[in-house]
Amino acid sequence: MNSNLGVKVVAFATATLSTLVSFSPVNAQVLFGKKEVDQNKFIVVAQPLQNNLYKLLVFEQVSTQRSCWSESGSQPATVEPLLLNFDFTGICGRSVDSNGYSIRMADQDLGWQYTLRLVPEGNDVVLMGVPAKDPNGPMVKIGRTYGVSNTFAKVVLNPGWRLTKRTYQDKTLGHVYFTTDTVLGGVPGDTGGNTGGNTGGNTGGTLFADIRNDVYASEIDQAVNAGFVAGFKDNTFRPQDTLTREQLVSMVVESLGKIPNVNISLPSVVSTRPYPDVETTRWSAAKIQWARDNNIISGYGDGSFRPSQTVTRAEMIAVLRRAAEKGKTMRGLSATLTPKVQSKAFNDTTGHWAAETISRMSGYCNVASAFNETGSSFYPNTETRRNYAAAATLRMLNCVKTDK
């Protein structure tokens, strides 16, 4: 470890964060709320210590007076904490321990039930939520560095996770939440009981070798385990393969069938073509017919469906919106999709035919999200890949299942 890094390690290891409010675990749910924040003003960092240990840090750019950090490279992106070089009071914020950050899931503060820990996993460092009380509780994968570095590395949060701020009586506190809208045990990456840091699973912690470094790996695993999408016979998932219209229909119809107490009855024999270009003997005919009859899909102006045509990201989100509305009505709820998170302002959807739907579905459990979960572009006309299709469908399903 170089001397400069050693100084920084000592600086952060000795830093403390004052507790702003006194409270007890019993009253946490009553006392504390959350406030959405601009994700671009925060960065999550893994700081290497000795003996293959890591410290979790969260930096916040409070004002624009001076930059609090810089980052460069990828897999992993390395971080230079510039705030160490000046008096950052009023300019930067930092959270360095459990006083400064905790986990919040489905609006439940889990700060007294879970600790946050950075765990080496192969050529990676994974941010885990580890049960502090219940040894049999599920561990939760929250993010990863996508590589190992001997200096500060950026932790990329898994899809469905974001940072928020804790609030108390309408006052925003300095405490940072690692937040998801999904309940404990239902988020991507949840694993079995606490085994002392071992996350279980096969090599690389994924079901398929070809998704090991994919940003959607944990969600692909959960989607496959849920049973609405599958891999191939050669034990690959082929995450970068494009998705066809009939494949999307199959995935969506299968996912709706996973809603508790919902039964989707597909005909064993299709007597008439659902569309002129969909033969009754086609493998997807029954699902296409059901999706058509339930207003989840529609054909083109010439009456065709074009089942083998690739589907764009905008088209997929339009289908997922209709599927979510159908899923809610099947649960006996209003079809209205109430936002769960703040809608995203994508820089390439203004004037697009699906702009309103993409915006709405970004607020509905992040179903619509930035391309590869980075930046602010959606790429609405780009062909949909299997990895994002699995993740987006999973988010839709989980949102419908937990909606009220």
Side-chain angles (χ1 to χ4, degrees), residues 85-98:
N85 302 321
F86 59 90
D87 180 1
F88 60 81
T89 305
I91 303 173
C92 312
R94 67 181 181 186
S95 302
V96 300
D97 56 28
S98 59

Side-chain angles (χ1 to χ4, degrees), residues 150-224:
N150 62 359
T151 188
F152 296 82
K154 179 179 181 179
V155 177
V156 179
L157 300 186
N158 289 338
W161 288 91
R162 66 192 187 283
L163 298 179
T164 62
K165 282 289 193 73
R166 176 184 277 172
T167 62
Y168 174 69
Q169 294 183 347
D170 296 326
K171 179 181 180 181
T172 301
L173 308 181
H175 190 96
V176 175
Y177 283 129
F178 287 81
T179 304
T180 181
D181 298 310
T182 309
V183 296
L184 178 64
V187 300
D190 285 8
T191 61
N194 186 351
T195 56
N198 179 10
T199 59
N202 61 356
T203 303
T206 62
L207 296 174
F208 307 97
D210 62 343
I211 67 169
R212 193 170 300 155
N213 296 316
D214 195 290
V215 66
Y216 298 108
S218 59
E219 289 183 287
I220 292 170
D221 280 347
Q222 189 176 350
V224 171

Side-chain angles (χ1 to χ4, degrees), residues 232-294:
F232 294 88
K233 291 181 179 180
D234 60 357
N235 199 34
T236 61
F237 186 79
R238 306 176 194 175
Q240 293 301 316
D241 278 9
T242 55
L243 196 75
T244 66
R245 286 167 58 82
E246 67 182 337
Q247 288 169 343
L248 173 62
V249 169
S250 177
M251 190 181 299
V252 167
V253 172
E254 290 289 343
S255 71
L256 292 177
K258 306 304 177 184
I259 300 173
N261 303 316
V262 165
N263 180 39
I264 293 179
S265 180
L266 296 176
S268 56
V269 177
V270 178
S271 57
T272 59
R273 295 179 181 178
Y275 292 94
D277 58 345
V278 178
E279 295 288 344
T280 58
T281 55
R282 194 177 185 95
W283 70 270
S284 58
K287 293 176 182 178
I288 290 173
Q289 178 175 292
W290 189 91
R292 181 205 63 189
D293 292 345
N294 287 277

Side-chain angles (χ1 to χ4, degrees), residues 308-319:
S308 298
Q309 180 172 295
T310 55
V311 64
T312 68
R313 287 165 58 89
E315 289 170 338
M316 180 185 72
I317 294 302
V319 170

Side-chain angles (χ1 to χ4, degrees), residues 35-54:
K35 179 181 178 181
E36 299 297 334
V37 298
D38 183 350
Q39 303 299 301
N40 294 322
K41 293 183 178 180
F42 292 79
I43 190 170
V44 183
V45 179
Q47 175 191 1
L49 305 175
Q50 296 178 344
N51 301 319
N52 211 26
L53 298 176
Y54 295 85

Side-chain angles (χ1 to χ4, degrees), residues 90-112:
I91 303 173
C92 312
R94 67 181 181 186
S95 302
V96 300
D97 56 28
S98 59
N99 287 321
Y101 47 65
S102 61
I103 299 176
R104 189 179 183 95
M105 303 178 69
D107 274 337
Q108 293 188 8
D109 188 320
L110 301 183
W112 294 270

